[in-house]
Amino acid sequence: MTRLGFNKLATIIALTVVAGSGIAVPAITADDVQAAPVPAAPAPASRPAAETGYWQFSLDGGVFSFGDATFYGSMGGSKLNAPVVGLAPTPTGKGYWLVALDGGVFAFGDARYHGSTGGLTLNAPVVGIVPTITGKGYWMVATDGGVFSFGDATFVGSLGSTPPTAPIVGFAPVPAGGGYWMLGSDGEVYPFGTAQDLGDAKDRTAAPVVSFAPTASGKGYWIAATDGLIAAFGDAPVLSATRATGGDGQHPVVGLVRTRTGGGYWVARSDGSVTPHGDAPFLGDLLGKGLNGAVLGLATPSAASTGGAALSLLYGNAFPGFESSPVTMVARVKASATPVFNASTGTVSAASVVSSPNPAQQTVHLRVVRIVGSRAEVMLAQRPNGNTAWMDLRDIDLVKDPFRVVVDRRAHTVKVYDAGVEVFSTTAAVGTAATPTPAGRFFVSETWKLANPGGAYGPYALGLSAFSEVLLQFGGGPGQVAIHGTNSPGALGTDASHGCIRISNAAVTRLIEMDLPLGTPVDIV
């Protein structure tokens, strides 16, 4: 447990879009905060007598109501600059806010707009929004532990210049006011103000932690992990087995919210399933509904939901702090000519467009390096090797790819991993000393069924984003590297090619049969 002292686009007001709002947030220093006393908690807004409803929300801004929870609107079907990552109901339960990855805020029902980080350049993506007990303000939290306060939300600390040990994925205020907790994906809990240090889940599971829910008294809390672990601290009762069940058992937990009494909670999974525990009633869920956007969380009038860890599951190793994830994000280009940029913010770069389809007449797919704000950094299938650019999220579809291909030049092998598990291995021939196979991080850019399956390249070729660093042209082409078959199987296991990776015809056929998606990462070592 770490205890730290005191030490951000489109926006909707009610149901009106305010485009390009730029709210100036003054810099707050540690000295400023240390000098300010923690205020007494204001009187909470009136709440409904019983809690018999909840909302689920999805990546595309869709909102779905169950029980007596009322639907007040959503961003489903709208063109968003960035995915929605959090939903926060108002204290009355008669409205809610949605927050996007870039800090854009959308207000519905009796929720009122108090500000956003529109117009600001964020150091890290926003992962949630949480209201004050009056509903006259809210906090937003970013993965680096930055806290942004609006309305009557009081800033009582952030991680500031002390980075968290893992990305922040959860945030919850003390029910009585005067403090809040932050939660890291490694289970570390960071209390501020009146929030109590009651323990953490760092040694409980190796799976990413996703959700934090304080008890009604503020003297306890639950922590949930993607593998279903539910850890209770302080006066939080143990209401289920060590690991929550529900759904098909294959989809990760993305959220936990308590009932108003604190005698129960609901556990939500990314497949849309909801599992009740304790006095929490089951009121319906989205399991099997075929949604446009993956489900990120669950919220009740008593509890907001942050989607940071769920988003990391959707974005795989492109999400900050989750670079070791076995899942890679691939950008599927939507248009025939899509602009690319030279930075996460700014103007169009010299390489101004990506054209689709590719030479094989397939929709262009690009390996995503990382996602920052409303843009994704993608690898390009062009010289020089390793060239990247930025694309607006609204111009691409993000696709999860569990596969990874590793070419080991010294061992002369090609291996395929599915979600980190080796599922294929074969012997290969690689480039000679004069025409070496380039090392680096690449991806499958296209696939070809070749006209002469008994020829030098075999029946199939998987074109890569890699290019020979010696041969600018080869065989009438641009010197592009590929994994392909061969009519000289005796050379397998040696340095024999002009830079391509040769494998047996049976092996390359198997790769095609595995249906490796375009954009699949190929790491040549």
Side-chain angles (χ1 to χ4, degrees), residues 173-410:
V174 175
Y180 43 71
W181 296 270
M182 279 188 256
L183 175 69
S185 65
D186 60 353
E188 183 78 48
V189 176
Y190 303 89
F192 297 89
T194 60
Q196 296 186 42
D197 181 340
L198 300 170
D200 61 49
K202 290 195 71 172
D203 298 324
R204 301 290 187 94
T205 178
V209 166
V210 293
S211 193
F212 180 95
T215 61
S217 68
K219 297 180 180 179
Y221 43 75
W222 295 274
I223 294 175
T226 57
D227 62 356
L229 170 78
I230 309 294
F233 301 87
D235 65 1
V238 177
L239 300 175
S240 63
T242 303
R243 277 172 170 73
T245 59
D248 60 9
Q250 302 300 313
H251 290 76
V253 168
V254 295
L256 179 152
V257 292
R258 67 169 173 84
T259 62
R260 188 178 313 286
T261 65
Y265 48 71
W266 295 272
V267 175
R269 291 179 180 268
S270 65
D271 60 358
S273 64
V274 174
T275 306
H277 299 270
D279 66 4
F282 177 73
L283 302 170
D285 62 22
L286 296 171
L287 182 62
K289 298 299 191 295
L291 303 178
N292 291 326
V295 177
L296 286 187
L298 178 80
T300 71
S302 293
S305 180
T306 56
L311 197 64
S312 75
L313 298 170
L314 297 173
Y315 282 176
N317 55 24
F319 197 67
F322 289 84
E323 290 80 5
S324 62
S325 169
V327 175
T328 297
M329 292 313 300
V330 172
R332 181 170 56 211
V333 176
K334 293 181 180 180
S336 59
T338 302
V340 297
F341 302 83
N342 55 16
S344 58
T345 59
T347 58
V348 176
S349 67
S352 60
V353 296
V354 167
S355 298
S356 184
N358 63 25
Q361 296 305 302
Q362 300 159 332
T363 300
V364 166
H365 291 64
L366 305 171
R367 179 177 176 178
V368 176
V369 178
R370 55 180 171 150
I371 295 170
V372 178
S374 60
R375 288 182 180 171
E377 185 181 12
V378 297
M379 295 183 182
L380 301 177
Q382 64 183 43
R383 296 180 187 274
N385 287 333
N387 195 15
T388 67
W390 294 83
M391 305 183 82
D392 283 334
L393 292 176
R394 61 188 174 187
D395 292 333
I396 57 178
D397 291 321
L398 290 169
V399 182
K400 287 192 297 184
D401 187 350
F403 291 105
R404 177 172 173 252
V405 179
V406 177
V407 178
D408 190 322
R409 296 175 300 171
R410 177 169 297 188

Side-chain angles (χ1 to χ4, degrees), residues 109-166:
D110 68 355
R112 294 294 176 259
Y113 172 77
H114 300 293
S116 75
T117 58
L120 298 180
T121 299
L122 303 181
N123 294 325
V126 168
V127 292
I129 184 170
V130 178
T132 63
I133 59 176
T134 66
K136 296 180 180 180
Y138 42 72
W139 297 271
M140 291 193 291
V141 64
T143 57
D144 64 353
V147 176
F148 309 94
S149 304
F150 300 91
D152 67 356
T154 302
F155 177 84
V156 295
S158 73
L159 294 182
S161 60
T162 306
T165 55

